[in-house]
Amino acid sequence: MTTAQLGGHAALVQNLHGRGLLDDTWRRVWDAVPRIPFIPARAWRQDPDGCTLLASPAERRALIHSDEPVVIQLDDGAENGPGIATSSNSQPSMVARSLGLLQVEDDARVLEIGTASGYVAALLSERLGEERVFSIELDPALAAHAEAALHAADYRPNLRCGDGEPGWPEAAPFDRLLATCALRRVPQAYVDQVRPGGLIVAPLAREFWSGALVQFTVQGDGTATGRFHGGASYMPMRSHRVVDGAPVDSGTARNRQTRLGTAAVLHLAFALWAGTRLPGVRLWHSDGPAGVQVWAQHPDGSAATAVAGDVWEYGPRELWAEIERAHRDYVDLGSPAAEGFGLTASPEGEYLWLHGPGNVLAPVLEPAGR
């Protein structure tokens, strides 16, 4: 279903403002920076079963003026690949939410990780002045496109083509850092390059939860801590991509029924909790004719899949039973909301907490009953 606005860009901005995602200042910025000049000639719509090329100008305009992402690269730019989306102009409501969490002030210096189309760099340049905006893009073709689009729109922020994981140390310190690609962990370089009291806003993705937005405040001791602010679906930083697990031994399959629905397993708050209880367990899902199907897998060869109350388990552990136990524990805690969870990043590593940084959630290293 399309979310295209009949009034084009102006109507899209009005929609975001009406939903409380843009304050008056950001609304003026968005009004001044239309999305369409930053979308390459070849672009795609992300469908459940793959990416569909935008074949007509009308189809292109409709998607760009909707609250939906626009895919701008497949297969890291390789020809004749499988057609996997590797870069996009993000969903406008997600961009608006991220920029709101950034809480920029008029004199802020901002580092963006992942220039992509250049659209977010343009919004930041309009809001803060181009000299205060720094943006890094790994992919040379995307970097060249973004620079051309930004210059055509009369914005000249500080741009760099290269790996964004080390940040931009010679331009530090920054007041704010915004990642527009999903991170498996927060690089210590980001914490070190943002001044104490500054903010980092980044989508994070781990084995058990596929994407969540976190707003960190940088502390004076080289750490950053902050709370989760809802789900966030972003393409991963290339160096943070997940490697597929080993094949499952189908000869160990055991079938049974479950009362635990897949929607409950995919709920962000539970996924945050379960990720600490079941370290190393990777979770993913897809839509199918029987409904949403969930897979779980651990490097020790254990795996499980569930759909419509039907469960198959494989390998040495009863992995779905462990997920069920984790869910019972979560319910016993009172089913806390995702906003009650937070994350602290430090030079020694990262840890998840509930209600406050002092209440660290320690992993369960062995499944119950073993």
Side-chain angles (χ1 to χ4, degrees):
M1 180 181 70
T2 182
T3 58
Q5 304 298 308
L6 295 178
H9 177 72
L12 174 62
V13 175
Q14 170 60 35
N15 176 269
L16 297 174
H17 181 262
R19 292 160 61 187
L21 295 171
L22 298 175
D23 63 19
D24 290 343
T25 299
W26 275 117
R27 178 180 179 170
R28 288 192 292 272
V29 169
W30 282 64
D31 278 334
V33 187
R35 191 183 187 194
I36 198 164
F38 294 89
I39 306 301
R42 282 175 60 82
W44 298 261
R45 182 180 62 250
Q46 179 73 69
D47 292 324
D49 55 351
C51 295
T52 302
L53 183 67
L54 300 176
S56 70
E59 187 179 15
R60 175 186 172 86
R61 286 192 300 272
L63 185 63
I64 292 171
H65 294 150
S66 71
D67 187 23
E68 298 176 30
V70 180
V71 175
I72 62 172
Q73 186 193 67
L74 302 181
D75 307 316
D76 294 333
E79 295 293 333
N80 302 317
I84 297 172
T86 50
S87 186
S88 71
N89 182 284
S90 299
Q91 183 180 14
S93 58
M94 185 64 68
V95 175
R97 188 151 62 95
S98 299
L99 291 174
L101 289 171
L102 209 59
Q103 296 179 6
V104 295
E105 299 172 347
D106 290 346
D107 59 351
R109 299 175 76 249
V110 179
L111 173 60
E112 179 195 17
I113 307 298
T115 315
S117 70
Y119 183 58
V120 174
L123 291 168
L124 288 167
S125 296
E126 179 70 23
R127 172 68 177 83
L128 300 170
E130 59 194 23
E131 73 280 359
R132 296 183 176 277
V133 178
F134 298 75
S135 188
I136 306 174
E137 173 56 52
L138 175 65
D139 188 281
L142 290 175
H145 163 79
E147 181 175 34
L150 283 160
H151 288 184
D154 204 24
Y155 298 112
R156 284 173 169 76
N158 303 279
L159 301 175
R160 169 175 286 182
C161 180
D163 185 2
E165 186 160 7
W168 199 326
E170 62 269 32
F174 300 99
D175 300 293
R176 301 289 188 267
L177 185 149
L178 175 65
T180 60
C181 50
L183 309 175
R184 306 297 296 174
R185 61 194 178 280
V186 179
Q188 185 61 36
Y190 296 177
V191 181
D192 294 341
Q193 291 171 34
V194 174
R195 63 168 177 81
L199 300 181
I200 297 172
V201 175
L204 301 184
R206 296 287 178 80
E207 284 81 3
F208 207 93
W209 36 279
S210 59
L213 201 59
V214 185
Q215 180 198 58
F216 295 93
T217 300
V218 175
Q219 311 298 315
D221 60 357
T223 67
T225 190
R227 292 186 181 274
F228 289 83
H229 290 268
S233 180
Y234 278 84
M235 294 172 194
M237 178 180 280
R238 291 191 187 180
S239 59
H240 289 206
R241 288 174 178 170
V242 176
V243 178
D244 290 339
V248 173
D249 181 3
S250 60
T252 63
R254 292 95 62 190
N255 180 235
R256 64 179 180 86
Q257 298 295 300
T258 182
R259 293 183 179 181
L260 180 60
T262 53
V265 174
L266 296 173
H267 190 272
L268 176 59
F270 169 67
L272 294 172
W273 164 262
T276 66
R277 313 312 288 170
L278 301 168
V281 176
R282 182 187 171 204
L283 192 80
W284 68 101
H285 70 281
S286 69
D287 294 327
V292 177
Q293 184 166 3
V294 170
W295 287 266
Q297 188 173 6
H298 189 273
D300 68 2
S302 301
T305 184
V307 61
D310 198 32
V311 172
W312 289 88
E313 293 175 301
Y314 307 84
R317 290 161 55 180
E318 295 179 347
L319 201 54
W320 193 261
E322 295 178 31
I323 294 172
E324 290 171 325
R325 282 193 289 271
H327 191 266
R328 289 195 296 270
D329 291 343
Y330 170 74
V331 172
D332 288 344
L333 276 179
S335 302
E339 292 74 17
F341 292 87
L343 189 73
T344 294
S346 73
E348 292 75 35
E350 296 181 357
Y351 56 86
L352 199 76
W353 44 264
L354 178 61
H355 303 316
N359 186 27
V360 176
L361 299 178
V364 174
L365 300 180
E366 294 292 340
R370 287 174 60 87

